[in-house]
C-alpha cells in the first residue's frame, strides 16, 4: 500500500526497482521476516516462475504465476519488495544505469537475506557491521544500497580495479574516500592483510565480505587467506 511505501520514504512518482522474489506473507517464516526463498508455502519469482507447491499464488492473485516486466502495463509486487532508486545522488545517465538493472537488485536482496544481513541486529546484538564489497558494478552497487537500507549504521568498504566505477558508486552511496580501495594489478594478492591495511589505514575485520566481481576474481588460496586474516568471528564470505 502507499502507506507502507511512505513509511519507507517512497512516494508516487519516485523511480523504483523491485525484488522479484516473493513469499506468501502468510506463513510463520514470512511473518517473522525471513527471506522469501524460505517461504513455507513456496516462493514465487516474478516473471520467472513459481515453486511447485506455491498454490498461494493462484489463491491470492487468480494467476498460476506472477507476470514480469515483459507484460504490457505494470508489474505487481508487495510494498516490501520495492526499492527507491537514489536519484538525489545521480548526475547522468551512466550513473542511473548502475541502479536500473532489475536482476541486480533481486540478486542483491536475495544474497543479503541468505547471508543473514536482514536479521543481523537481532542475531548478533549490534547494528554497525563492517562490510567489504569487492566489485563496484551494478550488483556491487545494489548490495551496498540494500545493506545500507537494512542496516543504516553499516560501514561499507568498497574495492574495484576501475577507478571510475569505484568513485561513481562510492559517490552515489556516500562511501568515504578512505573506505575505497583501488586495486592494483601489481600485487599477487591485493586482498592480503597488509594491502588492505595500506588501503584503509588500519587492520579491519569484516563481518561480511561480498565478492561481486565474479568467480574469476579469486582463487582458493586467496579466499582462504581472506577468511583467515580479514573475516571477523562469525563473519561471512560470499560470492554472488
Amino acid at each position: 500500500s502507499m502507506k507502507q511505501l511512505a513509511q519507507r520514504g517512497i512516494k508516487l512518482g519516485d523511480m523504483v526497482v523491485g525484488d522479484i522474489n516473493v513469499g506468501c506473507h502468510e506463513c510463520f517464516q514470512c511473518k517473522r521476516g525471513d527471506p522469501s526463498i524460505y517461504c513455507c508455502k513456496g516462493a514465487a519469482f516474478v516473471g520467472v516462475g513459481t515453486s511447485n507447491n506455491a498454490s498461494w499464488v493462484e489463491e491470492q492473485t487468480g494467476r498460476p504465476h506472477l507476470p514480469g516486466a515483459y507484460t504490457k502495463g505494470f508489474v505487481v509486487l508487495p510494498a516490501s519488495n520495492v526499492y527507491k532508486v537514489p536519484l538525489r545522488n545521480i548526475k547522468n545517465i551512466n550513473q542511473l544505469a548502475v541502479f536500473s538493472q532489475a536482476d541486480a537488485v533481486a540478486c542483491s536482496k536475495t544474497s543479503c537475506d541468505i547471508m543473514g544481513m536482514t536479521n543481523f541486529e537481532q542475531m548478533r546484538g549490534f547494528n554497525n557491521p563492517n562490510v567489504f564489497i569487492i566489485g563496484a558494478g551494478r550488483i556491487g552497487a545494489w548490495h551496498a544500497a540494500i545493506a545500507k537500507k537494512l542496516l543504516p549504521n553499516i560501514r561499507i568498504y568498497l574495492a574495484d580495479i576501475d577507478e571510475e566505477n569505484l568513485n561513481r558508486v562510492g559517490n552515489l552511496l556516500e562511501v568515504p574516500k578512505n573506505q575505497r580501495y583501488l586495486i592494483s594489478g601489481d600485487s599477487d594478492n591485493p586482498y592480503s592483510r597488509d594491502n588492505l591495511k595500506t588501503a584503509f589505514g588500519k587492520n579491519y575485520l569484516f563481518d561480511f565480505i561480498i565478492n561481486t566481481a565474479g568467480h574469476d576474481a579469486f582463487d582458493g588460496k586467496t579466499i582462504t587467506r581472506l577468511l583467515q586474516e580479514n573475516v571477523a568471528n562469525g563473519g561471512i564470505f560470499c560470492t554472488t
Side-chain angles (χ1 to χ4, degrees), residues 6 11 14 18 21 40-41 66 90 100 106 108 113 121 143 164 179 195 202 212 215 231 235:
K11 64 182 185 302
D14 284 340
N21 305 299
C40 297
K41 296 184 177 181
L66 302 177
I90 291 175
S100 300
S108 304
D113 286 339
E121 185 174 2
H143 272 84
E164 184 178 356
Q179 292 172 208
N195 282 331
K202 61 180 288 188
T212 69
H215 295 278
V231 175

Side-chain angles (χ1 to χ4, degrees), residues 106-119:
C107 169
S108 304
K109 179 59 169 62
T110 300
S111 60
C112 284
D113 286 339
I114 292 170
M115 286 186 287
M117 205 174 286
T118 306
N119 299 318

